[in-house]
Amino acid sequence: MARARKMTRVVRGKRPMFFDDITEDLSVSMIMVLAQELSVLRARLDAVEGATLAKGLLSETEIAEFADREDTLANGEKARQDLFSRLFYLVHQQAAEATGGDTSTRYADVIADITKT
Amino acid sequence: MPLDGNNNFQQTLHPMLPKPSLEEAERQSFAKSLRGYIQKAILPDLEPVYQARAAKRFEKETGHSPRDRHEIRKTMVKEPYFQAYAALNRIAQELLWLSVIESIDRQYDQLSATAKSLANKVGSYKVDRAFTPPNYVTALDIHCMPGGYAQNTGDDIEFAAGALYDRGVYLYSMGYGGPFNDDKGRSVVNYIKRNLKEFAPKTILDMGCAIGHSTLPYKELFPDAKVFAIDVTEPLVTYAHLRAAGLGVDITYEQRNAEDTGYPDASFDLVVSHILLHETSGKALPRVLKECHRLLKPGGYMIHADLPPFANMTEFMRFILDNETYYNAEPFWGAMREMNLVDLSAKAGFPKDKIMMTTAPMAIREFAGRAKGYDSGIVDQLAKREFKAGEFAPGAGWEVLIAQKETA
Ligand SMILES: C[S@@+](CC[C@H](N)C(=O)[O-])C[C@H]1O[C@@H](n2cnc3c(N)ncnc32)[C@H](O)[C@@H]1O
């Protein structure tokens, strides 16, 4: 049996918080862990499906070996990068708004403008 | 086939490397790929957002535009896009280490048994439990590695923090350093072979070797040389030895301080370090250079590969790079880049006309086809890409400080 928790998980050096409200930092960290677990689930399923297709019969090692094949690894990397671009859609929206000058003032102006004209 | 900047580079296993289960492997890949994504898709918009919004806001509030990296930081920390970037970057770093710790804990007993069987099989190591690592190494857990370089798990053969570093740093550098993460050492050796053609060192010292990623290429490319490598913590020196023994490479690893190694004068033809200097301190760095001078034989070379200095960089680039100081527990990262290493080397005793800063080209192309994932198309893309501050590793190469000791 593996020994549980030989190594520490705590980092020394006060952790900086980045958002205006600490609960946001906490939430984002939890969301990222959930996203990570989703990715784990996907990897596991990919391996099972791939092995099923390729072999017909399954064993624990067959599945693990299949997951470690170069084409499975490459598909996994693509899937993760695709997941990230969906996950961070709002982050990218922020960049586009900031650089494109799309502000709430402009939005209000449009309302006012449309109402008037 | 190129994957649009994606990579599925895989680290080559060796007996001491913790082998991840399917789930652990995916958690680790997630952290590595997340870093890749942040650098590829989130980092590039930081400067446009800064120009379009944060800089203007600062100007409105103060009547002038941000004058240095500190003023840029002042306004950027209020910028939601930057907050998201910095938070994700930090979380990626945390998930990276945690995903490796989990894997080591699960295999602890097995790794411990492997350690016993490998100790002193090839090469040698010397650690000393009375040795105190310098405060700048232990005050914070550098680059947020939980427990730091000196974490003790109470084993006869302390290997765990070394195993964490080995796997963690491979993921941190996203495999750019090659299947053995030895790119820095390889780049410096290549530089020597190409530019110092007559120079064939017989005794080599690698300072701040950590777990010896960069040390091994010296033995590979100078097989007749006696190679020594030192670091200040027991688990790193121990694991470095076990890793080299597992790979069958003869290196002498010792727990010593680069400021004051205790080796006799003129012991080495070549003294090198790789990303050591930025993890020392304002007082320690000049001492390390002095010690190099003392340790070298007449005509010997000192070469330190580290991060490019702030000089010749835009203020925004400096700001981005300095994030490591504040958010990744790298306390000397920013300050070190403001130091003039050429002047300090002269003060350490090296003749002024024998000191220079230059670039040692990355060895990434050599890894093509050598291990899983190192596809030549992707490797090529990486080698040719334009470097953005905040990305891992410069595109062109490693910044190196080279100095030759006066001949007798
Ligand atoms: C980023 S790691 C170096 C990585 C390694 N050279 C490589 O290329 O893979 C920095 C190392 O420097 C070590 N270090 C810091 N100060 C030192 C000193 N005064 N003497 C020896 N090692 C030191 C740290 O313990 C740490 O292992």
Side-chain angles (χ1 to χ4, degrees):
Chain A
M1 260 306 283
R3 264 190 266 194
R5 308 227 150 192
K6 261 283 204 182
M7 304 186 79
T8 181
R9 265 80 170 162
V10 173
V11 178
R12 274 171 329 121
K14 169 78 183 77
R15 189 197 192 276
M17 294 293 173
F18 300 96
F19 298 104
D20 300 336
D21 181 344
I22 280 184
T23 47
E24 276 185 77
D25 288 90
L26 296 176
S27 311
V28 175
S29 73
M30 291 179 213
I31 290 165
M32 291 312 296
V33 171
L34 289 175
Q36 187 183 31
E37 291 311 304
L38 194 66
S39 189
V40 169
L41 213 60
R42 197 237 355 105
R44 184 96 211 169
L45 268 178
D46 277 1
V48 173
E49 280 172 17
T52 311
L53 280 175
K55 309 245 178 181
L57 246 183
L58 302 182
S59 76
E60 193 61 27
T61 24
E62 275 175 334
I63 294 173
E65 275 165 15
F66 201 84
D68 202 34
R69 275 170 44 160
E70 187 136 9
D71 53 347
T72 316
L73 291 167
N75 288 339
E77 170 66 359
K78 191 176 174 314
R80 284 187 298 271
Q81 294 297 330
D82 290 349
L83 172 64
F84 292 139
S85 67
R86 289 195 298 279
L87 198 61
F88 303 132
Y89 74 95
L90 203 49
V91 175
H92 296 304
Q93 162 89 16
Q94 282 187 54
E97 288 172 0
T99 53
D102 203 359
T103 60
S104 44
T105 319
R106 193 186 81 84
Y107 192 94
D109 287 350
V110 171
I111 295 177
D113 194 46
I114 293 212
T115 321
K116 267 187 272 156
T117 57
Chain B
M1 199 189 62
L3 287 167
D4 187 38
N6 297 359
N7 84 62
N8 69 341
F9 297 158
Q10 304 295 318
Q11 187 172 14
T12 298
L13 290 175
H14 59 78
M16 278 310 293
L17 192 70
K19 191 170 166 17
S21 67
L22 190 157
E23 282 81 3
E24 289 161 0
E26 182 59 26
R27 288 188 193 105
Q28 293 175 6
S29 295
F30 181 90
K32 165 173 167 270
S33 305
L34 176 57
R35 278 180 58 71
Y37 184 84
I38 293 168
Q39 295 182 13
K40 180 179 74 184
I42 299 184
L43 172 71
D45 280 329
L46 272 179
E47 190 164 7
V49 170
Y50 164 70
Q51 298 294 357
R53 215 153 59 184
K56 292 204 177 110
R57 188 177 49 232
F58 186 89
E59 223 173 312
K60 223 182 202 169
E61 287 165 8
T62 64
H64 61 84
S65 49
R67 286 170 297 207
D68 57 22
R69 65 182 201 269
H70 305 292
E71 290 193 347
I72 297 179
R73 176 170 317 282
K74 243 184 176 162
T75 177
M76 280 299 263
V77 295
K78 291 185 240 155
E79 172 56 50
Y81 188 77
F82 176 73
Q83 293 176 345
Y85 162 80
L88 287 170
N89 221 12
R90 172 75 184 218
I91 290 167
Q93 185 77 352
E94 291 165 348
L95 295 184
L96 185 159
W97 294 119
L98 292 174
S99 67
V100 179
I101 289 171
E102 200 180 306
S103 179
I104 297 173
D105 266 349
R106 182 179 55 78
Q107 302 165 75
Y108 194 95
D109 293 345
Q110 206 181 312
L111 288 168
S112 181
T114 308
K116 282 193 183 75
S117 74
L118 282 174
N120 293 311
K121 228 175 123 197
V122 182
S124 66
Y125 80 116
K126 207 175 78 195
V127 292
D128 173 8
R129 294 214 160 150
F131 182 101
T132 313
N135 182 52
Y136 51 81
V137 171
T138 52
L140 300 178
D141 288 350
I142 293 183
H143 39 60
C144 301
M145 180 170 113
Y149 288 135
Q151 178 174 191
N152 200 309
T153 48
D155 218 324
D156 299 339
I157 302 179
E158 276 294 344
F159 67 91
L164 178 55
Y165 184 87
D166 189 359
R167 182 68 185 153
V169 165
Y170 180 83
L171 298 169
Y172 176 85
S173 50
M174 299 176 298
Y176 291 11
F180 291 97
N181 197 38
D182 60 4
D183 176 69
K184 291 181 287 298
R186 212 164 269 287
S187 302
V188 172
V189 177
N190 286 344
Y191 182 91
I192 295 171
K193 295 235 161 188
R194 285 170 202 156
N195 299 283
L196 311 174
K197 291 206 175 74
E198 308 293 290
F199 183 55
K202 291 202 174 60
T203 43
I204 301 174
L205 174 65
D206 181 15
M207 292 176 154
C209 63
I211 61 112
H213 281 143
S214 302
T215 315
L216 268 47
Y218 288 89
K219 188 66 190 173
E220 180 191 324
L221 294 153
F222 296 114
D224 299 331
K226 179 98 187 98
V227 180
F228 293 78
I230 59 170
D231 205 290
V232 286
T233 84
E234 179 182 345
L236 293 181
V237 170
T238 305
Y239 183 92
H241 163 68
L242 299 169
R243 176 177 180 267
L247 290 165
V249 186
D250 177 4
I251 311 272
T252 304
Y253 286 103
E254 299 184 319
Q255 188 177 16
R256 291 178 190 247
N257 189 330
E259 293 175 60
D260 178 12
T261 58
Y263 293 119
D265 292 358
S267 295
F268 299 96
D269 297 308
L270 173 65
V271 179
V272 294
S273 83
H274 315 79
I275 56 172
L276 158 70
L277 298 181
H278 79 273
E279 288 190 7
T280 61
S281 75
K283 287 208 173 111
L285 193 154
R287 282 196 203 125
V288 170
L289 299 179
K290 276 204 188 89
E291 180 69 355
C292 289
H293 187 263
R294 184 185 75 77
L295 291 175
L296 283 173
K297 296 182 183 170
Y301 284 90
M302 141 180 119
I303 307 183
H304 299 283
D306 217 297
L307 310 158
F310 277 152
N312 309 322
M313 262 185 216
T314 67
E315 212 49 57
F316 192 81
M317 254 177 127
R318 292 177 188 157
F319 152 72
I320 291 289
L321 294 172
D322 212 12
N323 283 336
E324 296 285 313
T325 310
Y326 298 99
Y327 308 142
N328 202 20
E330 289 272 10
F332 194 43
W333 185 281
M336 180 261 175
R337 288 161 182 264
E338 282 174 339
M339 295 176 92
N340 187 327
L341 298 180
V342 172
D343 286 356
L344 289 172
S345 302
K347 279 203 191 103
F350 291 93
K352 271 207 169 73
D353 60 334
K354 299 284 185 192
I355 310 168
M356 65 166 178
M357 300 281 297
T358 183
T359 307
M362 283 180 92
I364 179 95
R365 280 208 170 84
E366 293 174 24
F367 304 132
R370 288 255 236 120
K372 229 186 246 177
Y374 288 87
D375 173 287
S376 61
I378 298 170
V379 161
D380 223 48
Q381 265 186 21
L382 251 184
K384 284 194 199 128
R385 83 199 191 286
E386 212 180 295
F387 167 64
K388 275 217 162 47
E391 260 197 80
F392 173 78
W398 296 98
E399 189 78 16
V400 286
L401 166 70
I402 303 186
Q404 186 182 20
K405 186 168 175 167
E406 61 281 10
T407 39

